[in-house]
Amino acid sequence: MERIMVIGVSAGVGKSTFARRLGDHLNIEVYHLDTFYWRPGWVEAPLEDFISAQKEVVSHDKWIMEGNYSHSFNLRTELADTIIYLELPLRVCLYRVIKRWLSNLGKTRTDMAKGCNEKLDWEFIKFIISTYFPRKKEMKIKLADLQKSDPEKVIVMLKSKPDIEGYLLNMKG
């Protein structure tokens, strides 16, 4: 377990927090895809820059990369030895997104690009609600297909807070 992807069903599922904690336990550097994707002021990076930053990371022997970003999913899955998928209920994800926004008003989170102060708008809430169930279904299929095509790849699905905490507790050894 040296090249790890942390993905999830939605914003607010806990990908960043989980990845940081896992990185601490395994002593592996964590990379947040949002820091590659966003430029100051919430400007999207050119796709080539976003892909190039990921290629640089996956060239390392050890890494934890956190984030979904479907247009570069295969780049990461090809080289990852472990994929950890987090899936909590929609209400928990929405609650956490609102809580995160309130906790970070006027600040930029450490898992976000510099100059991208925390924000929350109706478009983002609609995005979370409208993509949650289709993504849940899509990820089940995508991960099953990946397991069939590469049975050596470790795929971990954590679907509750106790599952997540138990997994991290086991990492402490």
Side-chain angles (χ1 to χ4, degrees):
M1 205 168 134
E2 297 181 328
R3 295 177 316 278
I4 306 160
M5 278 176 65
V6 177
I7 56 177
V9 68
S10 174
V13 76
K15 296 179 297 289
S16 298
T17 301
F18 179 88
R20 269 193 304 275
R21 292 176 65 193
L22 185 63
D24 288 346
H25 293 325
L26 299 175
N27 198 28
I28 297 176
E29 190 164 352
V30 176
Y31 300 88
H32 303 279
L33 291 182
D34 282 340
T35 64
F36 300 149
Y37 189 79
W38 295 107
R39 299 274 165 89
W42 294 98
V43 174
E44 293 177 30
L47 187 56
E48 340 38 277
D49 293 356
F50 179 59
I51 299 294
S52 176
Q54 290 177 73
K55 284 182 177 178
E56 159 61 26
V57 172
V58 298
S59 73
H60 301 167
D61 292 335
K62 295 181 178 189
W63 46 266
I64 297 174
M65 221 177 312
E66 167 273 313
N68 288 343
Y69 292 97
S70 58
H71 48 287
S72 61
F73 187 80
N74 291 341
L75 166 70
R76 289 171 278 130
T77 57
E78 284 174 20
L79 295 165
D81 56 44
T82 305
I83 299 168
I84 300 172
Y85 170 70
L86 307 178
E87 184 182 286
L88 295 176
L90 176 58
R91 69 182 182 285
V92 172
C93 296
L94 287 169
Y95 169 78
R96 287 179 171 184
V97 164
I98 294 166
K99 181 181 171 191
R100 178 175 72 193
W101 171 65
L102 291 170
S103 300
N104 292 288
L105 280 175
K107 296 184 253 176
T108 300
R109 299 188 327 262
T110 57
D111 58 333
M112 188 53 67
K114 298 216 181 306
C116 292
N117 285 352
E118 190 66 25
K119 69 175 190 168
L120 182 62
D121 56 26
W122 180 240
E123 288 303 310
F124 190 48
I125 296 289
K126 281 195 310 192
F127 171 79
I128 292 168
I129 294 168
S130 67
T131 60
Y132 179 88
F133 292 103
R135 185 177 287 164
K136 185 175 171 177
K137 187 176 181 180
E138 173 191 332
M139 290 309 295
K140 186 177 183 180
I141 294 165
K142 201 179 263 193
L143 293 174
D145 289 347
L146 191 58
Q147 189 72 79
K148 275 185 214 156
S149 68
D150 188 354
E152 298 297 310
K153 201 169 294 289
V154 176
I155 297 176
V156 179
M157 299 177 87
L158 303 172
K159 295 188 173 192
S160 70
K161 290 184 216 177
D163 286 353
I164 291 168
E165 289 305 317
Y167 187 84
L168 288 168
L169 199 59
N170 286 336
M171 284 296 117
K172 283 184 178 179

